[in-house]
Amino acid sequence: YTGHEDGSVAIWNTETYTFIREFCRQAGGVTSIIMNSNKKLMLTSGKDNKILVWDLRNYGVQYSISTQFEPEQIMLSSDDKYLIVKLVTGQVALYNLAGENLGYIGIRTPTLRSIAISLDGNKMFMAYEDQPIQIWDLSDYETIGTLYKTRAPIEYMSIAENGNRMF
């Protein structure tokens, strides 16, 4: 799937390198695309301050989630319990998959660079441009630790498949 500035999403066959179909719905450009764990739902975020939840069986929008600010990046915890939304303000909003806002985590600063979620879906790692990595417990939205050993500002983080390493 590719998201475009005009709000469209295209589907491509990555084995034959051919275009399959395109559908349009986001009123502003698409900023992020993710799938849920069983690959039946796709979520897109856009510059129109909305997250659309798509049913991939018929490519129809099931519902939309409105955000206060433009969503820059969206992620789902591995158990699909949490939708994590990095806003352009640097703030992180938490939702459940029904679209209910569960609150905000972290400080509101545009220096938030990257977010990673533990494989069990219980912890979130937040990397800021000029600060160490903060570790948050998603069950009570409290800071539980800090990682200090970085040589330069972090651009991206990822959790290893075995869950015990972060890159």
Side-chain angles (χ1 to χ4, degrees):
Y1 297 90
T2 55
H4 303 267
E5 283 186 0
D6 66 357
S8 64
V9 175
I11 304 171
W12 302 86
N13 183 318
T14 57
E15 292 177 4
T16 62
Y17 310 112
T18 56
F19 172 79
I20 296 172
R21 76 176 279 176
E22 182 177 71
F23 46 102
C24 235
R25 195 59 182 243
Q26 210 78 48
V30 176
T31 59
S32 192
I33 301 173
I34 58 171
M35 308 301 162
N36 74 331
S37 59
N38 68 12
K39 308 295 186 224
K40 291 182 181 174
L41 298 176
M42 175 179 68
L43 289 80
T44 60
S45 63
K47 293 181 179 183
D48 58 356
N49 296 5
K50 290 191 188 302
I51 298 165
L52 301 180
V53 180
W54 302 79
D55 184 335
L56 289 177
R57 294 168 288 199
N58 62 15
Y59 300 104
V61 173
Q62 287 189 324
Y63 57 92
S64 68
I65 301 168
S66 294
T67 59
Q68 186 177 5
F69 300 100
E70 179 185 321
E72 188 174 61
Q73 177 187 7
I74 55 177
M75 304 174 75
L76 280 171
S77 58
S78 59
D79 59 2
D80 292 337
K81 185 175 178 183
Y82 297 106
L83 168 61
I84 296 95
V85 182
K86 179 182 179 250
L87 303 168
V88 293
T89 59
Q91 198 170 21
V92 175
L94 288 178
Y95 295 86
N96 59 25
L97 251 185
E100 177 186 4
N101 186 327
L102 303 174
Y104 295 88
I105 287 184
I107 56 177
R108 188 174 175 174
T109 172
T111 64
L112 178 62
R113 292 288 187 96
S114 185
I115 302 167
I117 306 299
S118 63
L119 295 183
D120 62 10
N122 294 325
K123 294 181 207 76
M124 179 169 60
F125 301 81
M126 298 171 67
Y128 294 90
E129 181 177 298
D130 52 356
Q131 298 174 11
I133 298 168
Q134 294 178 349
I135 307 166
W136 293 79
D137 183 330
L138 291 177
S139 65
D140 60 9
Y141 314 127
E142 296 291 329
T143 305
I144 58 172
T146 305
L147 302 176
Y148 290 98
K149 288 286 187 181
T150 59
R151 293 176 30 171
I154 293 171
E155 291 292 331
Y156 182 79
M157 296 183 295
S158 179
I159 304 294
E161 286 187 25
N162 64 9
N164 65 2
R165 300 256 195 274
M166 182 171 59
F167 301 97

